[in-house]
């Protein structure tokens, strides 16, 4: 039997979700009521996540990596459109405000990864840090879990990729630069809009567009291969900025570019709609009409091969605009392949890893 109770909807300052919709695995229905109370702060709770393993194997053909690692579950950036929100349901929590305020951190991530690297017969493959939530969300400033993982990858000479919306990545430029010189790292910066007001509304605790462009420039200057992800493209909201975003990222130093159409699995449709009503009511009907036109009349599409790109005239037009801009700006199709042949287990008997050039030897010793 499901219990129903009233839940007061607060419009929390600095948060994208206006409420906590019922998770699909919960036995309690949360029926929201409008409240006159606004502007309150919702505190963030941090909880240690005692993980037994750290690496996740990808089975989706839509995702360009085989192995991923997520230092955090939940994300304080609070992006209203984040497809990772429904993962909080597996913790018995809501995809709404809970996702932004109840953050689980894997304090033993580096130790678990070190054990994996040291396992007999381990074969290195590029690890994508943050296939789900951002590795440089606010908690990382003090917890430094992502930094410890990068330091371990440098010690073992292991290839790694990152994607983030945070300028905090520049704190780790010392490690990233060394990895970059050895061909062991790719970084992508996610840039959804150049409109600071829009970004503040839909990504309330992520870095501003200007700071993200500065991050791209600093990474490129430090010889770290860097790309830009224009993701998600939200029809009727930020799709008109596509060319401007790509142009700004290219001028900042991004070498590669990617894009993903908005995805709204499970409870996320309800969260996103509530945000539209609250922030852009005049655009709501048009946004949903365009989304449905790119999803065969639906508001989401979970089919592999289509969920990232969409279908129909609007989706084809969007993809055509993206490809034309990529060619015009001379983005490369992909960043240089990451090296897997440098992997070593510190302290063991290792052959001379660098026999090609003095530049490579310098990169390791520096």
């Amino acid at each position: 039997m499901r219990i129903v109770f009233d839940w007061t909807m607060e419009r929390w300052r600095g948060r994208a979700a206006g409420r906590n919709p019922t998770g699909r695995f919960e036995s309690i229905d949360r029926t929201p009521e409008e409240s006159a109370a606004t502007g309150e702060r919702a505190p963030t709770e941090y909880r240690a996540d005692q993980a037994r393993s750290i690496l996740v194997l990808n089975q989706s053909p839509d995702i360009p990596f085989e192995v991923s690692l997520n230092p955090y579950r939940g994300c304080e950036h609070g992006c209203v459109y984040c497809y990772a929100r429904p993962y909080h349901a597996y913790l018995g929590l809501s995809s709404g405000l809970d996702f932004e305020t109840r953050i689980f951190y894997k304090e033993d991530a580096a130790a678990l990864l070190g054990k994996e690297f040291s396992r007999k017969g381990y074969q290195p493959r590029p690890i994508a840090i943050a296939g789900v939530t951002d590795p440089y969300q606010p908690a990382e400033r003090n917890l430094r879990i992502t930094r410890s993982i990068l330091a371990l990858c440098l010690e073992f000479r292991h290839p790694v990729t990152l994607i983030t919306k945070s300028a905090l990545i520049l704190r780790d430029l010392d490690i990233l630069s060394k990895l970059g010189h050895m061909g062991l790292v790719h970084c992508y910066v996610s840039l959804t809009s150049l409109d600071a007001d829009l970004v503040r509304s839909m990504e309330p605790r992520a870095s501003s567009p200007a700071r993200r462009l500065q991050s791209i420039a600093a990474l490129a200057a430090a010889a770290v291969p860097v790309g830009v992800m224009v993701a998600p493209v939200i029809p009727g909201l930020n799709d008109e900025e596509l060319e401007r975003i790509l142009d700004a990222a290219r001028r900042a130093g991004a070498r590669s570019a990617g894009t993903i159409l908005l995805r709204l699995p499970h409870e996320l449709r309800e969260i996103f709609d509530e945000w539209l009503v609250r922030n852009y009511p005049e655009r709501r009907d048009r946004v949903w009409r365009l989304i449905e036109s790119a999803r065969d009349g639906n508001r989401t599409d979970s089919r592999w091969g289509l969920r990232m790109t969409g279908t129909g005239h609007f989706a084809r037009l969007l993809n055509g605009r993206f490809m034309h801009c990529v060619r015009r700006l001379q983005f490369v199709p992909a960043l240089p392949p990451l090296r897997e042949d440098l992997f070593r287990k510190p302290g063991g008997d290792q052959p001379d890893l660098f026999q090609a050039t003095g530049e490579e030897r310098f990169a390791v010793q520096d």
Side-chain angles (χ1 to χ4, degrees), residues 110-345:
L112 290 170
L113 188 60
K115 290 180 180 178
E116 188 68 22
F117 286 172
S118 300
R119 182 172 52 81
K120 185 177 181 180
Y122 175 81
Q123 295 296 316
R125 289 176 289 177
I127 294 174
I129 300 181
V132 182
T133 56
D134 202 304
Y136 285 106
Q137 58 180 282
E140 172 62 20
R141 190 174 302 279
N142 294 320
L143 293 175
R144 301 168 73 87
I145 298 172
T146 299
R147 182 175 176 86
S148 68
I149 293 168
L150 290 175
L152 188 73
C153 288
L154 179 60
E155 182 181 5
F156 280 79
R157 309 295 191 253
H158 196 289
V160 63
T161 69
L162 301 105
I163 183 167
T164 184
K165 293 183 173 73
S166 176
L168 181 58
I169 190 174
L170 298 185
R171 178 203 63 189
D172 297 337
L173 201 57
D174 56 336
I175 300 176
L176 293 171
S177 179
K178 293 176 181 178
L179 290 168
H181 277 96
M182 288 186 281
L184 291 173
V185 70
H186 292 164
C187 291
Y188 277 86
V189 175
S190 177
L191 188 58
T192 47
S193 175
L194 300 178
D195 183 337
D197 291 333
L198 175 58
V199 167
R200 192 177 303 111
S201 173
M202 69 179 178
E203 303 165 349
R205 301 199 177 195
S207 294
S208 68
R211 290 286 285 141
R212 295 187 218 182
L213 288 170
Q214 291 168 9
S215 299
I216 292 173
L219 289 164
V224 178
V226 59
V228 63
M229 284 297 298
V230 187
V233 173
I234 304 174
L237 201 60
N238 69 345
D239 62 291
E240 64 180 23
E241 294 188 71
L242 179 63
E243 290 82 1
R244 295 196 298 275
I245 294 171
L246 289 169
D247 182 69
R250 188 72 179 99
R251 284 187 280 109
R255 296 166 57 186
S256 181
T259 187
I260 297 174
L261 186 67
L262 177 71
R263 294 172 52 204
L264 296 172
H266 303 297
E267 308 96 293
L268 190 51
R269 294 187 290 280
E270 181 182 350
I271 294 166
F272 181 73
D273 187 52
E274 186 274 332
W275 177 83
L276 278 175
V277 169
R278 183 158 36 92
N279 291 278
Y280 296 95
E282 75 286 356
R283 299 193 192 187
R284 181 193 182 202
D285 289 345
R286 181 169 184 269
V287 168
W288 281 123
R289 186 166 62 251
L290 290 173
I291 289 173
E292 290 168 1
S293 75
R295 297 295 188 190
D296 288 337
N298 301 306
R299 293 190 170 185
T300 192
D301 188 344
S302 61
R303 291 176 294 174
W304 284 351
L306 297 174
R307 57 182 183 156
M308 304 289 196
T309 57
T311 59
H313 176 71
F314 181 86
R316 288 193 297 271
L317 178 62
L318 188 67
N319 183 64
R321 288 170 55 198
F322 174 78
M323 295 305 299
H324 174 76
C325 198
V326 163
R327 289 190 294 268
R328 175 176 61 83
L329 296 172
Q330 298 183 331
F331 280 105
V332 298
L335 294 176
L338 293 173
R339 296 188 66 172
E340 300 177 6
D341 60 313
L342 305 184
F343 181 73
R344 68 176 189 180
K345 297 181 181 179

